[in-house]
Amino acid sequence: MTAVPLRHPPADSARHHEHVPFLDLAAAHAQVRTQLDMVWHRAVDTSAFIGGEEVERFEGEWARYCEAEHAVGVANGTDALVLALRALGVGEGDEVVVPTNTFVASAAAVVLAGAAPRFVDVDPDTLLMTPDGVGAAITGRTAAVMVVHLFGHVADVDGVITIARRHGLAVVEDAAQAHGATRHGRRAGSVGDVGCFSFYPGKNLGALGDGGAVVTDSRELATRVRTLANHGRAGGAHYDHERVGTNSRLDALQAAVLRTKLACLDEWNAGRRAASARYRRLLAEIGVRAVAEPADSVGVDHLFVVRVPERDTVRARLADAGVATGVHYPVPCHRQPALSRFASAPLPVAEAAAPQILSLPMFPHLTDAQVDHVVAALARAVAG
Ligand SMILES: *Cc1c(COP(=O)(O)O)cnc(C)c1O
């Protein structure tokens, strides 16, 4: 497997205005460097690698931060989704409503749980799932709805819950891009039956490797996830296997890293929001359309996405100007070869957006000068 670069190109060039990386975590890590070094020493000194105090403490702190009763650490965000679905009893013969405009793992998790994703289109301004879209996709086989808070913006989870309750469906929140985001004052991940997080290094709260968590107010669900994530062990018994589980635990080292970085999460999210506010102000002046944040959401700007015609040309011109960009995501899930067999109806909003969307540099320590440089380069790039 190829390494995923989380900072390109090397740190030095970020200091020159002529180059803006897509994601630069160097400043964030410099802030907590001493504590991160201590985490490593403490783990080796105590030989606590799997489970133990750091994991328990992080789970408590993450539940509190999310304003949920329980948090269960798991190996990554994809497993968080799969285990949440399995704990809810979703499996063979079931359908789960999923927005097509999301990272492939949202939909893949449904398939891995044994169920079938039923893809729905998204709102043209926010590119998020809508309650109306969910309502139209419900069939006799629907067991759950997966709401994805893409880009760090919180989708209308309350509206989705209203519809889901009417049909007796469970609601899973994929909050892998929305650590700390709120809607009507409630944290992403804590509103549905169960919320799933990824701590992949590039996420708003990232480990120094893979990690994930499931949060819920239900003790029963939390226990089921914990059992499934730990070889199906029931209670404390090491060789009692109630169900076929898997090995998907959060490493003690990563838990300790996450505890350290959690102390900075609000500050880092505020840095992202400040950069995004500046982007929006400047982009309005040059007439470039940014993907909207829903009115009731206080997002955490995991990504900052604009829509431009001839995106690939604009992207190449930005690269020439030293501005690194991304595309999230170039192909809607229902068009991916791995998932196209689940496609039922055309999903025109997501299909129209896919060739236009462009993710601009976004990270907590993005400076005003860097934002200004990106927007100036974008103005030139769209002008041709
Ligand atoms: C990152 C991500 C995931 C998967 O998380 P991993 O930790 O990479 O497995 C799922 N859904 C969304 C929306 C994501 O951004």
Side-chain angles (χ1 to χ4, degrees), residues 70-97:
H70 309 277
V72 182
V74 296
N76 54 67
T78 307
D79 281 1
L81 292 165
V82 176
L83 295 167
L85 290 166
R86 286 189 65 193
L88 284 164
V90 174
E92 209 148 325
D94 292 331
E95 283 180 1
V96 178
V97 182

Side-chain angles (χ1 to χ4, degrees), residues 76-78 81 102-103 105-106 148 174 176-177 198 200 203 211 329:
N76 54 67
T78 307
L81 292 165
T102 181
F103 179 53
S106 312
V148 184
D174 179 345
Q177 300 190 0
S198 161
Y200 173 81
K203 308 286 176 167
Y329 296 89

